[in-house]
């Protein structure tokens, strides 16, 4: 199993096609390993490639969400699992789920409005803008619900 980790090239953002991962299958299979170090390593690498291989990673969303909630794993591993799942939901155009998991992952792995918008990377900006939009929509929905319930209370003679 160690050879799989060492043969994956680092994500150094150069344009050399030899350094691009073409499949997430090996990393996804590592998510079921009993060793939390291997799971953490797989999730860390998945976070770096999820924006290009999200269609493969999507099949493992239930596993990713389960890992993000597994209290037997270290907190950093759970946060990375949530961040990977959030990115997949973003690509699946489910902003509510993406926001929920991004908030679970924290600023260091997922949702950092200030730095995300400053980076200038198109993918990063789109992700952050999607999450901000989902947060605003949720806020409006909750305020509307609160207003509607107050109006019903007043109409009922309260």
């Amino acid at each position: 199993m160690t050879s799989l980790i060492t043969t994956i090239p680092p994500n150094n953002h150069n344009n050399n096609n030899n350094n691009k991962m073409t499949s997430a299958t090996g990393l996804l299979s590592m998510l079921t390993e009993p060793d939390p170090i291997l799971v953490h390593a797989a999730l860390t690498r998945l976070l770096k490639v999820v924006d290009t291989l999200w269609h493969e990673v999507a099949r493992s969303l239930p596993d990713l969400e389960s890992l993000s909630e597994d209290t037997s794993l270290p907190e950093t591993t759970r946060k990375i699992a949530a961040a990977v799942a959030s990115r997949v939901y973003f690509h699946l155009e489910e902003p509510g789920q993406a926001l929920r998991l991004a908030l679970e992952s924290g600023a260091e792995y997922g949702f950092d409005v200030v730095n995300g918008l400053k980076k200038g990377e198109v993918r990063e900006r789109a992700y952050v803008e999607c999450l901000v939009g989902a947060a605003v929509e949720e806020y409006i929905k909750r305020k509307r619900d609160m207003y509607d319930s107050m109006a019903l209370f007043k109409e009922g003679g309260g």
Side-chain angles (χ1 to χ4, degrees):
M1 204 41 84
T2 307
S3 64
L4 178 64
I5 295 172
T6 57
T7 59
I8 298 170
N11 189 5
N12 58 6
H13 301 292
N14 67 18
N15 291 327
N16 184 349
N17 286 333
N18 294 333
N19 285 342
K20 292 190 178 177
M21 183 179 246
T22 59
S23 177
T25 305
L27 294 173
L28 294 172
S29 69
M30 290 174 60
L31 297 180
T32 59
E33 288 290 327
D35 185 351
I37 294 171
L38 290 176
V39 172
H40 182 88
L43 287 168
T44 300
R45 185 65 178 128
L46 279 171
L47 186 56
K48 293 177 183 177
V49 300
V50 69
D51 286 324
T52 54
L53 300 175
W54 64 269
H55 55 283
E56 280 187 67
V57 180
R59 291 187 299 249
S60 297
L61 273 173
D63 296 331
L64 290 166
E65 289 198 58
S66 177
L67 289 170
S68 74
E69 298 167 357
D70 186 349
T71 56
S72 70
L73 291 172
E75 182 180 14
T76 56
T77 302
R78 294 193 315 265
K79 285 184 172 191
I80 296 170
V84 172
S86 173
R87 291 285 183 160
V88 173
Y89 277 120
F90 162 71
H91 289 288
L92 291 172
E93 297 182 10
E94 293 193 35
Q97 295 291 351
L99 176 63
R100 176 182 61 83
L101 288 155
L103 291 172
E104 286 180 25
S105 68
E108 64 270 25
Y109 297 109
F111 187 31
D112 184 354
V113 174
V114 176
N115 292 323
L117 292 175
K118 286 182 181 177
K119 284 182 182 178
E121 297 172 21
V122 174
R123 286 184 189 170
E124 192 65 26
R125 288 185 63 88
Y127 175 68
V128 171
E129 288 173 3
C130 171
L131 297 179
V132 169
V136 170
E137 285 179 23
E138 182 64 24
Y139 174 80
I140 291 169
K141 179 185 174 294
R142 288 184 185 200
K143 281 296 189 181
R144 256 194 207 129
D145 291 347
M146 186 175 75
Y147 176 77
D148 289 347
S149 57
M150 286 189 332
L152 286 174
F153 180 71
K154 286 181 182 179
E155 287 176 10

